[in-house]
Amino acid sequence: MIRFECDYGEGAHPKVMELLEKTNWEQTPGYGCDPWCEKARQQILKACKAPDAEVQFVVGGTQANQMVIASILRPFEGAVSATSGHINVHETGAVEATGHKILALPEKDGKISAEQIEKCFIEYEESPTQEHVVKPGIVYISQPTEYGTTYSKKELEEIYGVCKEHKVPLFIDGARLSYALAAEDSDLQLPDMARLCDIFYIGGTKVGCLFGEAIVFTDRKYADGFRMIMKQHGGMLAKGRLLGVQFSALFTDGLYEEIGRYADSLAIEVKKALKNKGIPLYYESSTNQQFFILTDEQWAKLADKYAFSDNGPVEGGRLLRICTSWATKKEDVAGLVAEIENL
Amino acid sequence: MIRFECDYGEGAHPKVMELLEKTNWEQTPGYGCDPWCEKARQQILKACKAPDAEVQFVVGGTQANQMVIASILRPFEGAVSATSGHINVHETGAVEATGHKILALPEKDGKISAEQIEKCFIEYEESPTQEHVVKPGIVYISQPTEYGTTYSKKELEEIYGVCKEHKVPLFIDGARLSYALAAEDSDLQLPDMARLCDIFYIGGTKVGCLFGEAIVFTDRKYADGFRMIMKQHGGMLAKGRLLGVQFSALFTDGLYEEIGRYADSLAIEVKKALKNKGIPLYYESSTNQQFFILTDEQWAKLADKYAFSDNGPVEGGRLLRICTSWATKKEDVAGLVAEIENL
Amino acid sequence: MIRFECDYGEGAHPKVMELLEKTNWEQTPGYGCDPWCEKARQQILKACKAPDAEVQFVVGGTQANQMVIASILRPFEGAVSATSGHINVHETGAVEATGHKILALPEKDGKISAEQIEKCFIEYEESPTQEHVVKPGIVYISQPTEYGTTYSKKELEEIYGVCKEHKVPLFIDGARLSYALAAEDSDLQLPDMARLCDIFYIGGTKVGCLFGEAIVFTDRKYADGFRMIMKQHGGMLAKGRLLGVQFSALFTDGLYEEIGRYADSLAIEVKKALKNKGIPLYYESSTNQQFFILTDEQWAKLADKYAFSDNGPVEGGRLLRICTSWATKKEDVAGLVAEIENL
Amino acid sequence: MIRFECDYGEGAHPKVMELLEKTNWEQTPGYGCDPWCEKARQQILKACKAPDAEVQFVVGGTQANQMVIASILRPFEGAVSATSGHINVHETGAVEATGHKILALPEKDGKISAEQIEKCFIEYEESPTQEHVVKPGIVYISQPTEYGTTYSKKELEEIYGVCKEHKVPLFIDGARLSYALAAEDSDLQLPDMARLCDIFYIGGTKVGCLFGEAIVFTDRKYADGFRMIMKQHGGMLAKGRLLGVQFSALFTDGLYEEIGRYADSLAIEVKKALKNKGIPLYYESSTNQQFFILTDEQWAKLADKYAFSDNGPVEGGRLLRICTSWATKKEDVAGLVAEIENL
């Protein structure tokens, strides 16, 4: 069985493992107050061209989402999100567990628009029963989205413009950010991300690390008290230096960008094969996730050999997803492309 | 200014006030453990023909909703509700504040169907990523709905059937229940309510009391620990007997039903006048709330004299709501009807 | 049975009931946005000589405590309280239910000292593991305390001095405040309360109202967002004017102060009788609660006729409490005094 | 600087690292549903002689504590703990953040007794105001305690006996369990732990893993819904197999026990040196933590060369702690012993 169903099926990129191994006997203080975290912090700030930002490292994405939102919102505020947002449908109510409603807006290709967000703000501001409704207190989007699609620089500028006008912080889930930045049609790089939101995170779990997300508070005021929130949520790793070590490896010699390019290029090969074969793509993605519809017959031909993510029956067959990553082997992609051609 | 904008604009029905006055110097234990609460409890159980049910009194509807839901759900469970449900849009995130997501289903005339609810249950049960999504743990509906519409006996039987099949309790918000039971087209009475759900409440605030909701746990197991939840949420009234006294007055000589009939009949007079005039009704309501659209010109003629609830601009004019109650004066309704005829 | 066990055993002071009755048919907007709430607000601000303060009315004390604390604290902050504080032992974990730890300090006669509070602040500020401990974010005291004792002006000045120095707001639970202000040995009046804390409340439930507490935010910044918190916790009364009406009656012609003096004077009569008889007082209280120890034999003589609050066995007998209120009858006190003399 | 201040200053035991390295390219499903987790689960159940127990792996101890307690308690229940319990003083209010009070009992040498716990249960059960107080819903103890002391088999049997009698589950924090089991004076082994509580965890973070705690639900009913709680709290690791791999290494060829013995024996060497020198020990510990008092003069002699955990000034000097672990070097202990002898 060759697994394409997710981008967290293996361990860590060899260069990350190597540094973990190499530093294993070093003695450091705990909880992220060690030289490796400090080094990785500086590497990230440099890559983001954001010398005044603050960086905190946490183990996983659900933690990052839950803790950032819980830290920033007052009790009567909620988080604006696409209906398809990870926080709205794949975290077992983690945000609500901290007391906050998610104000879900209908998505289009996994995205929400500046116009929708502005309308949401204005409806609240003009509500005759404002004290009875939840105040939009943060906007949450993902880059790339759950469907592999991406926000363009223009879209992001518009969204952030609306957020700033209405004084609501913008928070970007970058669990797979590398794959968005590396996309052929991307016009955004790390410094753009840092410039166009208040908080975002650079995912490591799905981009070469064993685990880990680096949260960047481009406006430091939003980091106030965050480390206490981390500890309170069990999100402060005892051996915090493991996060520093891994992100330091990722931000050495362009490994982070390299992984994104590598995985995207393999996904695009599959996408091209699907297109050539006339197999319908469900979303127009240029990142490491590709969604497409196979007839039951087509799927039967592949299912024994390949693990895809199965999103159930849709019109025309089954909605399937493949993911690529740093660990995807070129020969496995070539093999899959050949199989697609023969469907 | 004659106020039709809500059904909680005055104090209490004179018979309720009279009993409060009459019992004012009585000495009783606090927190609802007094003879008046016990008496009212028995009156309610008799009216519901549910001798084995449990009754608890609380001050308000948001409290009732929040506490019942928080008491019954485990942390990873959520409440199924119409998008227009009071808990979803008018309680400043009270349910989420206790840690639970609201699983909102699209409403039709303020209602959700057995079919929708069943689909929601099945989607959860069949979800390949069940551990990552919120489990539907309670179903919340209102009778009548936010829009004055009502569930029929058949609809309620279907909904409760689905709930029982999937072992999810059904909870009915009856803040305005009297107005639903008294509706001309109603085929439901109190014993039906007790038979067709696990928990419901009989609203007093909007039906003749100064305040107060009587929560009926038709399945007593759902009342386990509820009084602790009440105290924890500040929902256990020190002078609890005030609730017992008021509900006892309400359930003496059919006052509760009488108030419903009185208010509904006045609302129907207005509805008829609107219909006769060709003014579009926004929802088909036979209860004490009527929603309709006036042109700006029409509204201008009435706005100086009458207070309606203004739901903002819609196609064709403004969406307005009138409410009637025990306190609505017949002459005021007659006056309004005459004005409508002259629009 | 003559009941001395609490100060919330009857309804409302006749003047309060009279005004409720008189205003019963008035039509007002809901949720505390009515002329009666506005009037009561002004009366309270005048009585407090605090024209710039903000006042909000809620139904009960547990609600007031829970909502003020939840509104002000960030998630990682806790409330400093005496171990005997109402929030620590009599509210079924209401504060913790909003996510906050209570940092309990040992009490002496129900009180905590400026010295203790300062030590608590300094321990936090100097903690080498500050990120791992709960930050003291608000100080909660009661005036009078659970044991009927009171803080003197000097004690309060010292406590507030420490709080201001360390930038932690001081919140005073005044559920029985009237009885503290009216005490013979009191050197504090309402304007002192307003001057010596950031938030306090004026209890109505135990001082002549059916229910109701008036929260005074002497520093308005702490009221920011509070009405949303009220709604979210089910603490915003639909017929809010009932609170305004009652507090307006209480602050007309000195009724609030009169009730305090009346109840205290009756309690002192009992206290004197106890002292004369040589019955040990458990706390030195000059307010409406008196705690004392009766031998089992003595208690047996009174238990058939009188209801006291029974705090269980202590060295020398049973610890009992009597409470007086606006509703206590002089003849009942005279009768009790006579019985004590004959013990 | 030679670091003795904690037992999580290095990476992982070489055998753990080796297996992580060896399995790095394996493809597995995520979230702990992989063959390595299954293998480790079976190894642990075998070591515990508890074939019917359930095991779940999480990243850290604060997470384990918070999630187990939040999963088991109803909203009005609290966790009984020693005042010195980790959940009470070192987790930034993590338990309270889930809505639950900690019912802290005074500790003796870091421990609480069956007698204290029983008294706490009985006080609740007999409370005349039971609805107003927090119900003890779980008992939390640590083995070893925060002070390195341990519960004997007899003490544990008594505590569990009381818990079973009062139907309250017993939960044991075993973050450093290996060091308790390996202690010279220990009469408890893993099967005893499994037999004498309802839930406990086997700490990996401080015993040779990069991170990870294996929670053993000896009574499976307490595991119901736990995986949803894990996901909701961000405690379900995407690459869950990392936990399985590490615990599998730990439970192969007795590594877990070996690490405990190794670290304890080094700590005892230091303890003996302290005793011989007449340096006062603050607690009588036979595990990997030793607490002792050095005069300022003595401390000055060591502080340049060694990092200890500094608990601040106490009578007679400073309270210091040393920790040993799998990573402590024998020659460093020998060096420290020599320095102590020369103090």
Side-chain angles (χ1 to χ4, degrees):
Chain A
M1 178 74 68
I2 298 165
R3 297 195 162 275
F4 282 103
E5 92 265 47
C6 72
D7 37 17
Y8 43 89
E10 295 86 0
H13 189 281
K15 289 189 181 164
V16 172
M17 279 307 281
E18 194 184 329
L19 196 57
L20 282 171
E21 184 79 39
K22 192 177 150 193
T23 59
N24 191 50
W25 284 90
E26 288 185 18
Q27 284 193 317
T28 66
Y31 307 117
C33 303
D34 62 89
W36 282 104
C37 282
E38 191 45 37
K39 182 176 179 188
R41 200 167 274 132
Q42 294 309 325
Q43 290 172 288
I44 288 170
L45 294 181
K46 198 176 162 198
C48 292
K49 295 185 183 161
D52 299 326
E54 163 124 2
V55 178
Q56 291 294 339
F57 301 102
V58 301
V59 168
T62 298
Q63 268 184 357
N65 292 335
Q66 183 185 48
M67 296 192 301
V68 165
I69 291 170
S71 179
I72 285 172
L73 295 186
R74 289 203 57 199
F76 50 85
E77 296 179 330
V80 177
S81 162
T83 47
S84 54
H86 203 265
I87 58 169
N88 197 43
V89 286
H90 285 304
E91 300 184 354
T92 325
V95 168
E96 291 87 354
T98 67
H100 301 286
K101 192 179 191 69
I102 294 173
L103 301 161
L105 304 181
E107 53 82 22
K108 187 152 182 290
D109 295 330
K111 300 194 282 182
I112 50 176
S113 69
E115 200 184 337
Q116 283 177 288
I117 294 167
E118 185 173 36
K119 189 163 163 262
C120 169
F121 292 165
I122 290 173
E123 271 178 11
Y124 172 77
E125 290 162 7
E126 297 184 349
S127 170
T129 56
Q130 199 179 78
E131 294 172 349
H132 300 243
V133 297
V134 172
K135 181 177 180 178
I138 194 168
V139 172
Y140 165 93
I141 60 173
S142 303
Q143 176 78 331
T145 69
E146 294 301 304
Y147 302 151
T149 57
T150 55
Y151 290 91
S152 69
K153 190 187 288 187
K154 183 166 171 292
E155 287 171 326
L156 208 49
E157 284 171 343
E158 286 170 358
I159 289 174
Y160 194 41
V162 164
C163 286
K164 280 194 293 189
E165 195 187 328
H166 294 264
K167 298 190 169 58
V168 176
L170 177 62
F171 168 41
I172 303 179
D173 173 338
R176 290 188 172 101
L177 183 57
S178 179
Y179 305 122
L181 302 178
E184 277 178 334
D185 56 359
S186 168
D187 55 2
L188 288 161
Q189 292 308 317
L190 271 179
D192 301 302
M193 299 306 297
R195 184 175 55 85
L196 292 175
C197 69
D198 299 288
I199 312 110
F200 73 106
Y201 62 91
I202 298 171
T205 304
K206 292 166 178 169
V207 189
C209 294
L210 291 176
F211 56 86
E213 318 291 309
I215 307 174
V216 183
F217 297 85
T218 65
D219 185 334
R220 289 180 74 92
K221 79 170 176 229
Y222 293 116
D224 179 49
F226 187 71
R227 282 181 57 82
M228 272 81 100
I229 297 280
M230 283 170 61
K231 180 63 195 166
Q232 185 177 60
H233 284 262
M236 188 180 272
L237 192 64
K239 298 181 182 177
R241 54 76 170 285
L242 301 175
L243 293 159
V245 165
Q246 293 182 88
F247 273 94
S248 184
L250 222 51
F251 280 83
T252 295
D253 298 336
L255 179 58
Y256 177 73
E257 289 79 7
E258 183 188 318
I259 289 173
R261 283 192 304 267
Y262 177 77
D264 281 359
S265 72
L266 295 178
I268 297 304
E269 285 184 39
V270 178
K271 178 182 175 179
K272 284 180 185 163
L274 292 163
K275 277 199 162 173
N276 288 342
K277 192 67 186 181
I279 289 170
L281 294 165
Y282 207 72
Y283 303 107
E284 187 54 44
S285 160
S286 51
T287 63
N288 77 319
Q289 299 178 82
Q290 297 295 329
F291 294 79
F292 50 93
I293 300 172
L294 292 189
T295 63
D296 290 344
E297 203 176 340
Q298 290 171 323
W299 181 216
K301 287 186 190 165
L302 297 175
D304 282 349
K305 189 159 173 192
Y306 296 104
F308 294 169
S309 177
D310 185 346
N311 291 270
V314 290
E315 212 186 306
R318 296 194 84 75
L319 176 56
L320 300 166
R321 184 190 74 165
I322 63 140
C323 267
T324 56
S325 77
W326 61 272
T328 307
K329 289 173 189 147
K330 286 184 181 181
E331 58 267 33
D332 289 339
V333 170
L336 174 60
V337 164
E339 300 266 12
I340 290 169
E341 285 165 0
N342 291 329
L343 280 179
Chain B
M1 177 74 69
I2 297 166
R3 297 195 162 274
F4 281 104
E5 91 264 47
C6 73
D7 37 17
Y8 42 87
E10 295 86 2
H13 190 281
K15 289 189 182 167
V16 172
M17 279 306 282
E18 196 183 325
L19 196 59
L20 283 171
E21 185 78 38
K22 194 177 149 192
T23 59
N24 191 51
W25 284 91
E26 288 185 17
Q27 283 193 318
T28 66
Y31 306 117
C33 304
D34 63 89
W36 281 105
C37 282
E38 190 45 37
K39 183 178 178 187
R41 200 168 274 134
Q42 294 307 326
Q43 290 172 288
I44 288 170
L45 293 181
K46 197 176 161 198
C48 291
K49 295 186 182 162
D52 298 328
E54 162 125 2
V55 178
Q56 291 294 338
F57 300 102
V58 302
V59 167
T62 297
Q63 268 184 357
N65 293 335
Q66 184 185 45
M67 296 193 301
V68 166
I69 292 170
S71 179
I72 286 172
L73 295 186
R74 289 202 59 197
F76 50 84
E77 296 178 330
V80 176
S81 162
T83 48
S84 54
H86 203 265
I87 58 169
N88 196 43
V89 286
H90 285 304
E91 301 184 353
T92 324
V95 167
E96 291 87 353
T98 67
H100 301 286
K101 191 179 191 69
I102 294 173
L103 301 162
L105 305 181
E107 53 82 21
K108 187 151 184 293
D109 295 329
K111 300 194 283 184
I112 51 176
S113 68
E115 199 184 336
Q116 283 177 289
I117 295 167
E118 185 173 36
K119 189 163 163 261
C120 168
F121 291 164
I122 290 173
E123 270 178 11
Y124 173 77
E125 290 162 7
E126 297 184 348
S127 170
T129 57
Q130 199 178 76
E131 295 172 348
H132 300 243
V133 297
V134 173
K135 180 179 180 177
I138 194 169
V139 172
Y140 164 93
I141 61 173
S142 303
Q143 176 79 330
T145 69
E146 295 300 303
Y147 302 152
T149 56
T150 54
Y151 290 90
S152 69
K153 190 186 286 186
K154 181 165 174 292
E155 287 171 327
L156 208 49
E157 284 172 344
E158 287 170 357
I159 289 174
Y160 194 41
V162 164
C163 286
K164 281 195 293 190
E165 194 186 328
H166 293 265
K167 298 191 169 56
V168 176
L170 176 61
F171 169 41
I172 303 179
D173 173 339
R176 291 188 171 101
L177 183 58
S178 179
Y179 305 122
L181 302 178
E184 277 178 333
D185 57 358
S186 168
D187 55 3
L188 288 162
Q189 293 308 318
L190 272 179
D192 300 304
M193 300 306 296
R195 183 174 56 84
L196 293 174
C197 68
D198 298 288
I199 312 111
F200 74 105
Y201 62 94
I202 299 171
T205 303
K206 291 166 179 170
V207 189
C209 293
L210 290 176
F211 56 85
E213 318 290 309
I215 307 174
V216 183
F217 297 85
T218 66
D219 186 334
R220 290 178 75 92
K221 79 170 176 230
Y222 293 117
D224 179 49
F226 188 70
R227 283 180 57 81
M228 271 81 100
I229 297 279
M230 282 170 62
K231 180 61 196 166
Q232 185 177 60
H233 284 262
M236 188 180 273
L237 192 64
K239 298 181 181 178
R241 53 82 167 280
L242 301 175
L243 292 159
V245 165
Q246 294 183 88
F247 273 94
S248 184
L250 221 53
F251 279 85
T252 296
D253 298 336
L255 179 59
Y256 177 72
E257 289 78 7
E258 184 190 315
I259 289 173
R261 284 193 304 269
Y262 177 78
D264 281 359
S265 72
L266 295 178
I268 297 304
E269 284 184 40
V270 177
K271 177 182 177 181
K272 284 179 185 162
L274 292 164
K275 276 201 163 171
N276 287 342
K277 193 66 186 182
I279 290 169
L281 293 165
Y282 207 72
Y283 305 106
E284 187 55 44
S285 160
S286 51
T287 63
N288 77 320
Q289 300 179 81
Q290 298 295 328
F291 294 79
F292 50 93
I293 300 171
L294 292 189
T295 63
D296 290 345
E297 205 177 337
Q298 289 171 323
W299 181 218
K301 287 186 189 166
L302 297 175
D304 282 349
K305 193 162 172 188
Y306 296 105
F308 295 170
S309 176
D310 186 346
N311 291 271
V314 290
E315 210 186 310
R318 297 193 85 75
L319 176 56
L320 300 166
R321 183 190 75 165
I322 63 140
C323 267
T324 56
S325 77
W326 59 272
T328 307
K329 290 174 189 148
K330 287 185 181 179
E331 59 267 32
D332 289 341
V333 170
L336 176 60
V337 164
E339 300 265 14
I340 290 170
E341 285 165 0
N342 291 327
L343 279 179
Chain C
M1 179 72 69
I2 298 165
R3 297 195 163 275
F4 283 103
E5 91 264 46
C6 73
D7 37 17
Y8 43 88
E10 295 86 1
H13 189 281
K15 290 189 180 166
V16 172
M17 279 306 281
E18 196 184 325
L19 195 59
L20 283 171
E21 185 78 37
K22 193 177 149 192
T23 59
N24 191 50
W25 284 90
E26 287 185 19
Q27 284 193 318
T28 66
Y31 306 117
C33 304
D34 63 89
W36 282 106
C37 282
E38 190 45 36
K39 184 178 177 186
R41 200 168 275 131
Q42 294 308 324
Q43 290 172 285
I44 288 169
L45 294 181
K46 198 177 159 197
C48 292
K49 295 187 183 161
D52 298 328
E54 163 125 2
V55 178
Q56 290 295 338
F57 301 102
V58 301
V59 167
T62 298
Q63 267 183 358
N65 293 335
Q66 184 185 46
M67 296 192 301
V68 165
I69 291 170
S71 179
I72 285 173
L73 295 186
R74 290 203 59 199
F76 51 84
E77 295 178 331
V80 177
S81 162
T83 48
S84 54
H86 203 265
I87 58 170
N88 197 43
V89 286
H90 285 303
E91 302 185 353
T92 325
V95 167
E96 289 87 353
T98 67
H100 301 286
K101 192 180 191 68
I102 294 173
L103 301 161
L105 304 182
E107 53 82 22
K108 185 148 185 293
D109 295 330
K111 300 194 281 183
I112 49 176
S113 68
E115 198 184 337
Q116 282 178 289
I117 295 168
E118 186 173 35
K119 188 163 163 261
C120 168
F121 292 164
I122 289 173
E123 269 177 12
Y124 173 77
E125 290 162 7
E126 297 184 349
S127 169
T129 57
Q130 198 177 78
E131 295 171 348
H132 301 243
V133 296
V134 172
K135 181 178 178 178
I138 194 168
V139 172
Y140 165 93
I141 60 173
S142 304
Q143 176 77 333
T145 69
E146 295 300 304
Y147 301 152
T149 56
T150 55
Y151 290 89
S152 69
K153 190 186 286 186
K154 182 165 173 290
E155 286 171 328
L156 208 49
E157 284 171 345
E158 286 170 357
I159 289 174
Y160 194 41
V162 164
C163 286
K164 281 194 293 190
E165 194 187 328
H166 293 265
K167 297 192 170 58
V168 176
L170 176 61
F171 169 41
I172 303 179
D173 173 338
R176 293 189 171 101
L177 183 57
S178 179
Y179 305 121
L181 302 178
E184 278 178 332
D185 56 358
S186 169
D187 55 3
L188 288 162
Q189 293 308 318
L190 272 179
D192 300 303
M193 299 306 297
R195 184 174 56 84
L196 292 175
C197 69
D198 299 287
I199 312 111
F200 73 105
Y201 62 94
I202 299 171
T205 304
K206 292 167 178 168
V207 189
C209 293
L210 290 176
F211 56 86
E213 318 290 310
I215 307 173
V216 183
F217 297 85
T218 64
D219 186 334
R220 290 178 74 91
K221 80 171 175 228
Y222 293 117
D224 179 49
F226 188 71
R227 282 180 57 80
M228 272 81 100
I229 297 280
M230 282 171 62
K231 181 63 195 165
Q232 186 177 59
H233 284 263
M236 189 181 271
L237 192 64
K239 298 181 182 178
R241 53 73 169 285
L242 301 175
L243 292 160
V245 166
Q246 293 184 88
F247 273 94
S248 184
L250 222 52
F251 280 84
T252 296
D253 298 336
L255 179 59
Y256 176 73
E257 289 79 7
E258 184 190 316
I259 289 174
R261 283 191 304 267
Y262 177 77
D264 281 359
S265 72
L266 294 178
I268 297 304
E269 284 183 39
V270 177
K271 177 182 176 179
K272 283 179 185 162
L274 292 164
K275 276 200 163 172
N276 287 341
K277 192 65 186 180
I279 291 169
L281 294 165
Y282 208 72
Y283 303 107
E284 186 55 44
S285 159
S286 50
T287 63
N288 76 320
Q289 300 179 80
Q290 297 295 329
F291 294 79
F292 50 94
I293 300 171
L294 292 189
T295 63
D296 290 344
E297 204 178 337
Q298 290 171 322
W299 182 217
K301 289 186 189 165
L302 297 175
D304 282 349
K305 191 159 173 190
Y306 296 104
F308 295 169
S309 177
D310 185 347
N311 291 271
V314 289
E315 210 186 310
R318 295 193 86 74
L319 177 56
L320 300 166
R321 185 191 72 167
I322 63 140
C323 267
T324 56
S325 78
W326 60 271
T328 306
K329 288 173 191 149
K330 286 185 182 181
E331 58 267 32
D332 289 341
V333 170
L336 175 60
V337 164
E339 300 264 14
I340 291 169
E341 285 166 359
N342 291 328
L343 279 178
Chain D
M1 178 75 67
I2 298 165
R3 296 194 163 276
F4 282 103
E5 91 265 47
C6 72
D7 37 18
Y8 42 89
E10 293 87 1
H13 189 281
K15 289 189 181 164
V16 172
M17 279 306 283
E18 195 183 329
L19 195 59
L20 283 171
E21 185 79 38
K22 191 176 151 194
T23 59
N24 191 50
W25 283 90
E26 288 185 18
Q27 284 193 318
T28 66
Y31 307 117
C33 305
D34 62 90
W36 282 105
C37 282
E38 191 45 38
K39 182 177 179 188
R41 201 168 273 131
Q42 294 308 325
Q43 290 172 286
I44 288 170
L45 294 181
K46 197 175 161 200
C48 292
K49 295 187 183 160
D52 298 327
E54 163 123 3
V55 178
Q56 291 294 338
F57 300 102
V58 301
V59 168
T62 298
Q63 268 184 357
N65 293 335
Q66 183 184 48
M67 296 193 301
V68 166
I69 291 171
S71 179
I72 285 173
L73 295 186
R74 290 202 58 199
F76 50 85
E77 295 178 332
V80 177
S81 162
T83 48
S84 54
H86 203 264
I87 58 169
N88 196 43
V89 286
H90 285 304
E91 300 184 355
T92 325
V95 168
E96 290 87 354
T98 68
H100 301 286
K101 191 179 191 68
I102 295 172
L103 300 162
L105 304 182
E107 53 82 21
K108 187 152 184 292
D109 294 329
K111 300 194 282 182
I112 50 177
S113 68
E115 199 185 337
Q116 283 178 289
I117 295 168
E118 185 173 37
K119 188 163 164 262
C120 169
F121 292 165
I122 289 174
E123 270 178 12
Y124 173 77
E125 290 162 7
E126 297 184 350
S127 170
T129 56
Q130 199 177 79
E131 295 171 349
H132 301 242
V133 297
V134 172
K135 180 178 179 177
I138 194 169
V139 172
Y140 164 94
I141 60 173
S142 305
Q143 175 79 331
T145 69
E146 295 300 304
Y147 301 151
T149 57
T150 54
Y151 289 91
S152 68
K153 190 186 286 187
K154 181 164 172 293
E155 286 171 326
L156 208 50
E157 283 172 344
E158 285 169 357
I159 289 175
Y160 194 41
V162 164
C163 287
K164 280 195 293 189
E165 194 187 329
H166 294 264
K167 297 191 169 58
V168 176
L170 176 62
F171 168 41
I172 303 179
D173 172 339
R176 291 188 172 101
L177 183 58
S178 180
Y179 305 122
L181 302 178
E184 276 179 333
D185 56 359
S186 168
D187 55 4
L188 289 162
Q189 291 309 316
L190 271 179
D192 301 303
M193 299 307 296
R195 181 174 58 83
L196 292 175
C197 68
D198 298 288
I199 312 111
F200 74 105
Y201 62 92
I202 298 170
T205 304
K206 293 168 178 167
V207 189
C209 294
L210 290 175
F211 56 86
E213 318 290 310
I215 307 174
V216 183
F217 297 85
T218 65
D219 185 334
R220 290 178 74 92
K221 79 171 175 228
Y222 292 116
D224 179 49
F226 188 72
R227 282 180 59 81
M228 272 81 101
I229 297 279
M230 283 170 60
K231 181 62 195 167
Q232 185 177 60
H233 284 262
M236 189 180 271
L237 192 65
K239 298 181 182 177
R241 56 72 171 286
L242 301 175
L243 292 159
V245 165
Q246 293 182 87
F247 273 94
S248 184
L250 221 52
F251 279 84
T252 296
D253 298 336
L255 179 58
Y256 177 72
E257 289 79 6
E258 182 189 319
I259 289 173
R261 283 191 304 267
Y262 177 77
D264 281 358
S265 71
L266 295 179
I268 297 304
E269 285 184 38
V270 177
K271 178 182 175 179
K272 284 179 184 162
L274 292 164
K275 277 200 163 173
N276 288 342
K277 192 67 187 180
I279 290 169
L281 294 166
Y282 207 72
Y283 304 107
E284 186 54 45
S285 159
S286 51
T287 64
N288 77 318
Q289 299 178 82
Q290 298 294 328
F291 294 78
F292 50 94
I293 300 172
L294 292 189
T295 63
D296 289 345
E297 204 177 338
Q298 288 171 323
W299 182 216
K301 287 186 189 165
L302 298 175
D304 281 350
K305 190 159 173 192
Y306 296 104
F308 294 170
S309 178
D310 185 347
N311 291 271
V314 290
E315 211 185 307
R318 296 194 84 76
L319 176 55
L320 299 166
R321 184 190 74 167
I322 62 141
C323 267
T324 56
S325 77
W326 61 271
T328 307
K329 288 172 191 150
K330 287 185 181 180
E331 59 267 33
D332 288 341
V333 170
L336 175 59
V337 164
E339 300 265 11
I340 290 169
E341 286 165 358
N342 291 328
L343 280 179

